[in-house]
Amino acid sequence: MEYFLIKSSVKVPLQPIHMDTNLYRYRLTEENYERLPKSEIYYYHHTEDIEIPELMLQPTFMAGDVLQQIISLYDETVSWKSLYMLPDEEDKIMELSKHYWIPRLIRIKCLHPQAELQPNGAVTKLVLDKKRLRNLNIFQVEETQENFVLVSLALAESISRRQPYGVRLKRVEVR
């Protein structure tokens, strides 16, 4: 049983302008997810150093079309809400727009007692308890402050084969 933390590897991701952070939370709860509109459009300030990744972790976990399709192949139970990110320059809209998907993921309590946590709840060493894992292909860790999204080995391999821009996978210890 192997799991990987899915992370963003971009240095300067696009940032939505005037996004409602009370609605689009870093760690979405079921209640927050239900409040999100089915589809929404936001703009971002375009500069030459902005990167447009297939995965965003801020302001919340968002997958681009390619990543959303891969995840959906491995877990049909994930529901999605749509968000379009458009550059604030009208002549760049066709080439630099990005469609993102916000998933409703299962959250499970799965930290192993040997996981290391800071007093504020931040994780310094992520260790999963194999007895608590349910052979899920994608899920969030319940007990952390961070927005840890984990994927199975099969899903990680599928993502790696397609090499989506700005996506990094890091193996997580399971005991």
Side-chain angles (χ1 to χ4, degrees):
M1 184 180 305
E2 294 182 59
Y3 283 94
F4 294 79
L5 182 62
I6 188 166
K7 301 180 72 131
S8 176
S9 63
V10 298
K11 292 182 177 29
V12 187
L14 54 91
Q15 296 292 320
I17 299 170
H18 305 299
M19 182 177 259
D20 184 354
T21 54
N22 288 321
L23 193 58
Y24 292 92
R25 298 253 173 114
Y26 175 63
R27 283 182 51 95
L28 282 179
T29 63
E30 184 76 24
E31 181 181 319
N32 293 124
Y33 181 84
E34 291 303 323
R35 289 180 33 221
L36 294 176
K38 287 185 181 186
S39 184
E40 190 151 37
I41 297 172
Y42 277 96
Y43 289 89
Y44 68 91
H45 180 64
H46 175 260
T47 62
E48 290 304 314
D49 61 339
I50 291 289
E51 295 178 84
I52 304 173
E54 188 63 22
L55 171 70
M56 298 259 300
L57 300 175
Q58 295 281 348
T60 192
F61 185 92
M62 297 188 286
D65 288 335
V66 171
L67 194 54
Q68 185 267 348
Q69 290 170 5
I70 299 167
I71 292 168
S72 293
L73 285 172
Y74 283 82
D75 192 338
E76 296 172 351
T77 66
V78 176
S79 61
W80 302 88
K81 303 246 177 147
S82 173
L83 187 120
Y84 290 89
M85 297 293 287
L86 309 177
D88 61 354
E89 297 176 29
E90 191 173 332
D91 62 326
K92 304 268 186 195
I93 287 180
M94 291 304 286
E95 68 178 288
L96 296 175
S97 294
K98 182 71 175 172
H99 185 207
Y100 285 104
W101 296 91
I102 301 168
R104 178 175 51 200
L105 298 173
I106 292 173
R107 294 170 75 163
I108 62 171
K109 291 184 178 185
C110 59
L111 283 184
H112 190 276
Q114 291 181 342
E116 296 174 11
L117 296 144
Q118 298 276 335
N120 67 357
V123 175
T124 53
K125 183 178 178 185
L126 183 61
V127 182
L128 304 179
D129 188 338
K130 67 181 173 185
K131 294 176 199 160
R132 294 179 173 189
L133 298 174
R134 300 183 252 162
N135 292 324
L136 298 169
N137 280 306
I138 186 166
F139 63 92
Q140 287 180 303
V141 178
E142 174 72 33
E143 308 98 319
T144 65
Q145 295 296 320
E146 291 93 349
N147 195 8
F148 289 143
V149 175
L150 294 148
V151 297
S152 66
L153 174 61
L155 181 49
E157 288 174 339
S158 188
I159 292 168
S160 292
R161 279 193 302 276
R162 289 163 180 87
Q163 300 179 342
Y165 180 73
V167 177
R168 188 176 67 162
L169 297 163
K170 180 182 175 191
R171 186 183 306 261
V172 174
E173 187 176 346
V174 178
R175 291 188 187 171

